[in-house]
Amino acid sequence: MTDSTRRGFLKQAALGTAAFFAYPDARVLGANDRVRVGIIGVGNRGQDLLEEVLAVPNIQLVAIADVYRRRHDEARKMAPGIVTFDDHRRLLDMKDIDAVIVASPLHTHARHFLDTLAAGKDLYAEKTMTWSIPEADQCLAAATQSGRVVQIGLQWESSGALKDARKWIKDGKIGKVTQVESWMSRNTPHGHGQWVRAIPSDCTAQNVNWSAFLNGRPERPFDPYRLINWRLFWEFSGGNVTENMVHQIAWIMTALELPLPAAAYMSGGVFSEKDGREVPDTIAVTLDFPNDLVVTWQSTFSNRRFGLGEHILGSDGTIEHGWGTSDMVNGEDNEFIRYYPEKVNQPRGEPLTGKTPDQDHMTDFIECVRTRKTPNAPVEVGYRSAIASHMANLAYRHGQRITPETARSLPSEF
Ligand SMILES: NC(=O)c1ccc[n+]([C@@H]2O[C@H](COP(=O)([O-])OP(=O)(O)OC[C@H]3O[C@@H](n4cnc5c(N)ncnc54)[C@H](O)[C@@H]3O)[C@@H](O)[C@H]2O)c1
């Protein structure tokens, strides 16, 4: 046994876990060392994150992996000199990478998550943490055992508004919260469904590692529509619940320090544009939490008047958080957070406006890679928000009330 595998074994023994898996020890970085980064999945979001990480001081982008060759060219334009692969395992083989950013489609998240940790690298993993509940269980266990830094791409966890909400709640300004209402609404021109992307002319079988994209889904001939528009289909996606509710439910869970939901219900359907998509565009989710709390989340793709937001409704006060065209007072699109006292229980309370600035979520990750501190959106937040999201989708797909127990008894289907 080498020193590093022995250390991995001791770490494992200390945790008292049954399965033996030695996570390799990674390079120990000093406060001023350059952090060497790789990215898996460099489409829309991956390219945003590429720009974000390049803006963090003292990092080096070493390599990217993407199944589609067009992305290699796009990434090289943004970061000349990087190495490119169409198989993420080649990137993870590189010894001179400390940290990996994953921005691949949802159905590949767990594989990229587990392989990155097994390669001894720190991880920034886009939300939703996984496509299914069993995968979330596996990823949580692996992250806990690995000792690696894991930041989930739930960037609202780094927001100033969340800090303001937490402070007001801790200061006792809200009282007993029995209900939280939240919503997210968008619109598109008639005939053009939300999320539908055009297929580039170079999106051909020759330019795509199609079996790596399928990642264990049933084999079939190359299908560029599914590669580009994976979000519309259950076998690759969880629809708007895993695309957007997850951000808001994570924010609400952190603000109120909530455990897993006790039960989930969901209704809706494909109502806005009947364009062949499987995932619903119109959604009403209800999540019951222990200790007398109901959280609702509504979503439509046919009206954007109210943008997105959350109302935390307490016996002593209300927290109103909004974004998009949701500010009914001044009509602006900016994010805002406000507190209003319930005069019946807080007669001397005054309205407040939150002003705490946001932290940069990527900078927080890179700092934690150096300091080994826990990032703002750790794996536990990724886990709880993923389980809540999957419970809601299971409730919709099976047409029944879902508890954490019933969720685990149902098959994860494509
Ligand atoms: N945090 C946020 O605000 C935010 C915003 C948008 C998207 N996202 C998340 O980012 C992820 C990607 O979304 P997107 O819109 O960029 O999708 P996308 O389709 O534009 O990009 C995904 C990329 O991954 C590549 N890919 C597919 N399978 C792969 C594999 N096995 N290995 C390597 N690369 C692979 C594709 O070729 C594509 O370039 C999703 O999980 C999405 O939920 C997060």
Side-chain angles (χ1 to χ4, degrees):
M1 215 187 255
T2 64
D3 274 349
S4 80
T5 51
R6 188 174 301 114
R7 275 197 298 277
F9 178 77
L10 291 174
K11 218 183 284 170
Q12 187 75 24
L15 284 162
T17 42
F20 169 65
F21 190 92
Y23 286 93
D25 285 327
R27 181 171 77 121
V28 177
L29 287 159
N32 300 317
D33 278 333
R34 174 169 293 197
V35 177
R36 301 162 309 179
V37 178
I39 307 183
I40 299 173
V42 197
N44 265 46
R45 183 62 179 167
Q47 292 184 24
D48 287 348
L49 295 177
L50 190 158
E51 275 180 3
E52 282 182 23
V53 78
L54 287 182
V56 178
N58 208 11
I59 71 99
Q60 181 191 358
L61 183 64
V62 177
I64 63 106
D66 196 295
V67 297
Y68 182 13
R69 243 183 248 160
R70 179 190 187 89
R71 306 298 178 220
H72 301 191
D73 300 336
E74 289 169 349
R76 267 197 301 261
K77 274 198 198 116
M78 298 168 79
I82 55 170
V83 186
T84 60
F85 301 101
D86 75 353
D87 181 336
H88 74 283
R89 292 170 299 185
R90 302 290 80 76
L91 180 148
L92 295 177
D93 286 342
M94 291 181 81
K95 297 282 170 267
D96 56 349
I97 289 183
D98 308 302
V100 171
I101 297 167
V102 170
S104 50
L106 183 65
H107 72 294
T108 62
H109 281 187
R111 164 174 279 248
H112 295 150
F113 191 113
L114 295 169
D115 288 357
T116 298
L117 296 184
K121 309 197 188 293
D122 294 324
L123 170 66
Y124 182 111
E126 259 311 338
K127 51 45 65 170
T128 294
M129 192 166 96
T130 61
W131 176 86
S132 74
I133 290 179
E135 288 174 350
D137 291 340
Q138 262 185 299
C139 288
L140 176 67
T144 310
Q145 289 170 28
S146 70
R148 309 276 26 111
V149 168
V150 176
Q151 170 93 300
I152 307 298
L154 292 161
Q155 63 271 19
W156 285 16
E157 296 297 296
S158 291
S159 72
L162 182 58
K163 286 210 177 81
D164 293 326
R166 281 169 68 82
K167 181 170 184 329
W168 293 335
I169 292 164
K170 284 227 161 68
D171 289 350
K173 291 186 185 308
I174 310 300
K176 177 165 173 150
V177 178
T178 52
Q179 193 166 48
V180 178
E181 48 186 40
S182 60
W183 68 94
M184 184 270 176
S185 48
R186 287 184 179 171
N187 204 351
T188 47
H190 291 305
H192 187 102
Q194 180 68 232
W195 290 338
V196 177
R197 294 174 178 168
I199 314 300
S201 58
D202 66 0
C203 192
T204 60
Q206 291 66 40
N207 288 330
V208 174
N209 182 345
W210 176 237
S211 66
F213 168 76
L214 284 179
N215 186 39
R217 279 18 183 189
E219 284 297 329
R220 74 207 72 172
F222 177 64
D223 180 345
Y225 192 81
R226 273 175 166 66
L227 175 79
I228 299 291
N229 291 303
W230 56 268
R231 261 187 188 76
L232 309 182
F233 302 100
W234 287 118
E235 61 182 326
F236 312 119
S237 172
N240 206 20
V241 165
T242 52
E243 286 303 306
N244 287 300
M245 185 187 90
V246 68
H247 279 297
Q248 292 174 271
I249 201 66
W251 194 92
I252 292 164
M253 287 173 126
T254 302
L256 292 166
E257 299 183 1
L258 299 180
L260 289 180
Y265 314 77
M266 173 166 152
S267 59
V270 180
F271 300 158
S272 294
E273 292 289 343
K274 298 182 194 295
D275 54 9
R277 72 182 59 207
E278 295 171 351
V279 298
D281 49 44
T282 308
I283 297 172
V285 170
T286 303
L287 299 172
D288 291 344
F289 283 89
N291 306 321
D292 307 340
L293 174 68
V294 172
V295 176
T296 59
W297 183 81
Q298 287 172 209
S299 168
T300 171
F301 283 167
S302 286
N303 181 296
R304 67 188 292 270
R305 178 70 188 95
F306 295 105
L308 64 84
E310 303 88 31
H311 292 158
I312 299 179
L313 306 174
S315 55
D316 294 16
T318 304
I319 294 175
E320 187 187 13
H321 176 232
W323 215 346
T325 49
S326 47
D327 191 327
M328 295 299 283
V329 179
N330 59 22
E332 285 179 4
D333 280 7
N334 300 331
E335 185 182 6
F336 62 89
I337 184 149
R338 299 199 192 97
Y339 163 77
Y340 301 98
E342 279 285 293
K343 289 290 182 187
V344 64
N345 288 320
Q346 291 264 13
R348 282 184 297 282
E350 292 296 329
L352 298 168
T353 300
K355 298 224 161 36
T356 305
D358 295 340
Q359 255 184 293
D360 182 71
H361 202 57
M362 186 59 77
T363 302
D364 174 58
F365 170 62
I366 298 291
E367 273 172 20
C368 291
V369 168
R370 290 205 182 88
T371 61
R372 314 312 293 168
K373 287 193 181 141
T374 303
N376 290 337
V379 67
E380 290 78 13
V381 175
Y383 179 78
R384 278 182 287 123
S385 57
I387 300 288
S389 302
H390 296 317
M391 283 173 63
N393 272 337
L394 286 168
Y396 174 77
R397 299 193 70 190
H398 291 273
Q400 67 182 75
R401 172 179 184 268
I402 295 290
T403 65
E405 294 70 39
T406 51
R408 286 193 168 76
S409 70
L410 293 167
S412 297
E413 20 172 306
F414 295 158

